[in-house]
Amino acid sequence: MIFAYNKEYVSDTLLAITADDKGLEQTVERKGNVAQIKNEEGTIVGWNFFAISEVMTIEDRGQVTLTKEQIQQLNTMIKEAGFSEELPADTEPKIVVGYVKSCVEHPDSDHLSITETEVGDGKVLQIVCGAANIRKGLKVVVAKPGAMMPDGLMIWPGTLRGVESFGMICSAKELHLEGAPMKKGILELPQDAVVGEAFPVGKA
């Protein structure tokens, strides 16, 4: 799940993006200060919470992390508006330090690799990566499904050349890090970086 807020550009509205809309047409049902967004398959892909500063204080801009208490406040808004669904209490960081446990060539590509990358608490994601410097044993930055990159790109599970991929291994440029090198390639972290720890990104 992705929460995003930018009062200066999107008004006092908190956006909760719950699923990939797959580029399908959307319908919006608004009740009071809550709007539910579905795609044409009937999947709920997001919620809009209007006048959110009347309910909670959000200091950050762009993708924001909410506490369990704030998510419960949103669920109260949903219920009071007359909807029956709830948001899950997902407070895990979405851009984290990862460890490449294995890396093999993609069977249908001369530049893609298939990695098994640990992202914390023993969880391992299969991620397809196109960087030339990807290899087993690296500490890297992983954008997990549900992440929003500094440029607004949202990360969802996908398929690359027939192989499922559950996230993205990031370059310094994609993370908008100050002084990021212009050369291509993923960011290689020191070996003492802690797997699963949130990684701070730059601003768009």
Side-chain angles (χ1 to χ4, degrees):
M1 179 182 301
I2 296 170
F3 292 107
Y5 180 73
N6 195 321
K7 187 174 183 179
E8 287 74 20
Y9 293 97
V10 193
S11 74
D12 188 22
T13 303
L14 176 67
L15 311 179
I17 304 160
T18 57
D20 185 359
D21 64 14
K22 300 179 181 179
L24 302 176
E25 290 189 15
Q26 300 178 358
T27 58
V28 179
E29 181 181 6
R30 179 169 177 172
K31 299 179 180 180
N33 280 338
V34 179
Q36 182 189 81
I37 305 164
K38 292 183 177 180
N39 67 16
E40 60 189 66
E41 293 178 341
T43 300
I44 298 174
V45 297
W47 299 84
N48 291 345
F49 299 91
F50 303 99
I52 193 63
S53 63
E54 297 177 7
V55 179
M56 65 182 69
T57 300
I58 302 175
E59 300 290 349
D60 293 335
R61 298 294 181 266
Q63 183 172 16
V64 297
T65 301
L66 302 186
T67 65
K68 291 182 179 179
E69 290 74 20
Q70 288 174 317
I71 294 174
Q72 185 54 51
Q73 287 178 291
L74 298 180
N75 282 328
T76 298
M77 290 180 67
I78 290 172
K79 182 178 180 180
E80 291 179 347
F83 294 102
S84 60
E85 296 80 7
E86 285 192 351
L87 299 174
D90 180 8
T91 58
E92 289 185 359
K94 294 296 186 290
I95 300 179
V96 301
V97 175
Y99 173 71
V100 182
K101 299 187 70 174
S102 69
C103 181
V104 298
E105 293 182 359
H106 191 296
D108 190 34
S109 171
D110 60 1
H111 71 282
L112 296 176
S113 298
I114 304 170
T115 76
E116 296 291 327
T117 302
E118 185 177 350
V119 292
D121 295 326
K123 185 175 184 179
V124 177
L125 299 177
Q126 177 173 283
I127 301 176
V128 178
C129 179
N133 62 324
I134 186 69
R135 61 189 183 276
K136 178 181 176 179
L138 283 184
K139 293 284 183 71
V140 295
V141 180
V142 176
K144 300 189 293 185
M148 177 184 284
M149 301 300 291
D151 63 0
L153 174 69
M154 291 179 284
I155 306 300
W156 302 110
T159 302
L160 291 172
R161 295 284 186 93
V163 175
E164 290 184 315
S165 183
F166 298 91
M168 183 174 75
I169 299 176
C170 306
S171 69
K173 185 178 179 181
E174 289 166 333
L175 295 165
H176 285 210
L177 299 184
E178 187 175 351
M182 296 304 294
K183 65 179 183 179
K184 295 182 179 180
I186 56 170
L187 178 63
E188 300 184 26
L189 298 179
Q191 282 300 306
D192 61 358
V194 179
V195 174
E197 190 172 274
F199 188 88
V201 302
K203 300 296 184 182

